[in-house]
């Protein structure tokens, strides 16, 4: 009997990064992660067929939206086929025996640093440095034996790279989560969808966006997210990204038909099953 091939999942970062944890949790099976040090490289991996799916962070409950990724969604035209909300616990990691008083530098991904801003602001005389990935920062401390540098990462990275947690749960708010999108080159249609991500442009006129929102309300569609990003080359014009949820698919279909007559360049980025938020 032929052995089932592992799905290849593109992640931003390296093994033990939050992206890998999100991928393992969502797919809940043995997978092969394709490590990408930037979101652009992640999209290129999926586009070229080097991976079957990609997992992309899109927002964090403390640090907010990752705006460059909205531009990537528009550029690559992938389909969003799922989402996962991952609880995020940040720890300060260092070589065994190193104390907080020994630390002169703290390194991590910019989003991780933003999530720990309250903690970091209370430290004096420590240089905060940005890196490509939380786990990569932990790996660097271990490989270069940096006794004056700590990394902000998760406990999986601490275990993998033999580091000690010198301060636990340093995120600004303990109910901290990141929302990750599951991307595919094609639309993997499923029948139990109850959420969609759309983007469109509206006329630069009074009430044009309000008219769209009224259609959603009239059709009992919940607007769970709205984000505007500039339209490149068109000053004062914006692309509106929204996430909508429904209980009856018919209501969503009706709303979509009406919205289509009110907006320009409507793009359905994906229809999928809503992820659960479970704090741990």
């Amino acid at each position: 009997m032929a052995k089932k091939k592992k799905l290849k999942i593109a992640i931003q970062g390296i093994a033990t990064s939050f992206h890998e944890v999100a991928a393992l949790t969502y797919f809940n099976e043995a997978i092969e992660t394709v490590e990408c040090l930037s979101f652009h490289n992640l999209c290129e991996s999926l586009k070229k067929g080097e991976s079957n799916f990609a997992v992309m962070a899109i927002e964090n409950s403390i640090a907010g939206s990752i705006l460059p990724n909205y531009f990537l969604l528009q550029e690559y035209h992938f389909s969003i086929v799922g989402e996962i909300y991952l609880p995020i616990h940040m720890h300060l990691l260092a070589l065994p025996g190193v104390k907080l008083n020994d630390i002169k530098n703290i390194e991590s991904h910019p989003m991780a640093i933003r999530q720990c801003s309250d903690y970091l602001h209370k430290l004096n005389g420590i240089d905060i440095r940005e890196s490509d990935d939380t786990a990569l920062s932990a790996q660097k401390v271990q490989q270069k034996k940096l006794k004056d540098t700590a990394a902000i990462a998760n406990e999986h990275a601490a275990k993998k790279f033999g580091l000690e947690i010198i301060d636990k749960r340093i995120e600004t708010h303990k109910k901290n989560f990141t929302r990750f999108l599951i991307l595919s080159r094609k639309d993997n249609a499923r029948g139990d969808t109850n959420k969609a991500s759309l983007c469109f442009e509206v006329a630069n006129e009074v009430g044009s966006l309000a008219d769209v929102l009224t259609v959603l309300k009239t059709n009992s569609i919940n607007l769970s997210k709205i984000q505007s990003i500039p339209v490149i080359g068109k000053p004062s014009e914006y692309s509106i990204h929204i996430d909508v949820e429904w209980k009856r698919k018919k209501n969503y279909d009706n709303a979509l038909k009406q919205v289509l007559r009110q907006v320009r360049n409507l793009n359905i980025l994906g229809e999928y099953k809503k992820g659960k938020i479970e704090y741990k």
Side-chain angles (χ1 to χ4, degrees):
M1 189 173 177
K3 188 176 180 181
K4 182 182 177 183
K5 289 185 67 175
K6 291 182 180 178
L7 287 174
K8 291 185 177 182
I9 313 299
I11 61 169
Q12 192 274 315
I14 65 173
T16 75
S17 67
F18 288 107
H19 272 79
E20 185 187 58
V21 176
L24 291 168
T25 304
Y26 180 84
F27 289 96
N28 196 29
E29 62 179 85
I31 60 174
E32 179 183 340
T33 53
V34 179
E35 299 176 351
C36 307
L37 290 187
S38 72
F39 287 112
H40 176 78
N41 290 344
L42 176 145
C43 290
E44 283 295 308
S45 171
L46 184 58
K47 177 184 176 181
K48 294 175 181 177
E50 298 168 352
S51 50
N52 302 108
F53 297 93
V55 175
M56 173 191 277
I58 196 67
E59 64 177 308
N60 174 264
S61 56
I62 296 175
S65 297
I66 306 177
L67 293 180
N69 287 357
Y70 282 92
F71 288 99
L72 289 174
L73 288 175
Q74 291 189 170
E75 178 182 350
Y76 282 89
H77 303 290
F78 296 138
S79 180
I80 302 171
V81 296
E83 67 175 4
I84 180 172
Y85 291 86
L86 186 73
I88 303 294
H89 304 320
M90 297 291 188
H91 308 305
L92 194 64
L93 314 181
L95 291 172
V98 171
K99 306 298 181 185
L100 185 58
N101 291 338
D102 303 321
I103 300 301
K104 294 182 174 60
N105 310 294
I106 293 177
E107 181 176 301
S108 196
H109 189 276
M111 287 296 287
I113 290 171
R114 286 171 62 183
Q115 291 169 51
C116 303
S117 59
D118 284 6
Y119 174 87
L120 296 175
H121 285 159
K122 295 175 183 176
L123 302 178
N124 296 316
I126 294 181
D127 186 26
I128 310 300
R129 299 176 178 176
E130 296 183 353
S131 73
D132 291 326
D133 180 44
T134 56
L136 192 65
S137 296
Q139 182 186 60
K140 178 180 175 182
V141 171
Q142 183 265 336
Q143 288 184 343
K144 295 190 174 183
K145 307 299 180 188
L146 301 175
K147 295 183 178 180
D148 64 347
T149 302
I152 299 173
N154 59 33
E155 61 181 329
H156 302 288
K159 292 176 182 177
K160 181 177 176 66
F161 300 116
L163 302 180
E164 289 184 351
I165 298 176
I166 60 176
D167 229 340
K168 291 185 176 181
R169 301 292 301 272
I170 64 172
E171 62 270 17
T172 296
H173 196 284
K174 302 313 172 188
K175 289 186 176 180
N176 181 31
F177 65 84
T178 295
R179 177 184 174 218
F180 295 84
L181 302 177
I182 313 302
L183 306 178
S184 173
R185 289 186 300 279
K186 55 186 178 181
D187 181 16
N188 292 18
R190 52 188 295 175
D192 57 348
T193 58
N194 58 5
K195 187 172 183 177
S197 295
L198 315 171
C199 69
F200 54 83
E201 297 169 29
V202 293
N204 190 10
E205 299 173 358
V206 174
S208 56
L209 179 57
D211 289 341
V212 175
L213 302 183
T214 299
V215 168
L216 299 180
K217 178 182 177 181
T218 302
N219 286 277
S220 300
I221 302 299
N222 180 44
L223 178 70
S224 59
K225 170 82 175 182
I226 184 167
Q227 180 73 56
S228 64
I229 64 171
V231 177
I232 303 299
K234 296 182 179 180
S236 301
E237 292 193 26
Y238 294 84
S239 178
I240 310 297
H241 285 248
I242 62 173
D243 294 330
V244 295
E245 302 168 6
W246 61 85
K247 292 182 179 179
R248 298 177 64 224
K249 182 68 158 50
K250 184 177 180 181
N251 289 0
Y252 165 71
D253 292 336
N254 288 337
L256 207 55
K257 291 177 184 177
Q258 296 174 53
V259 169
L260 190 58
R261 296 194 291 265
Q262 297 176 314
V263 304
R264 302 190 305 266
N265 301 325
L266 175 65
N267 186 10
I268 302 174
L269 300 174
E271 297 172 357
Y272 48 95
K273 188 172 178 60
K274 178 184 176 182
K276 294 181 180 179
I277 301 176
E278 298 177 332
Y279 297 114
K280 297 179 181 179

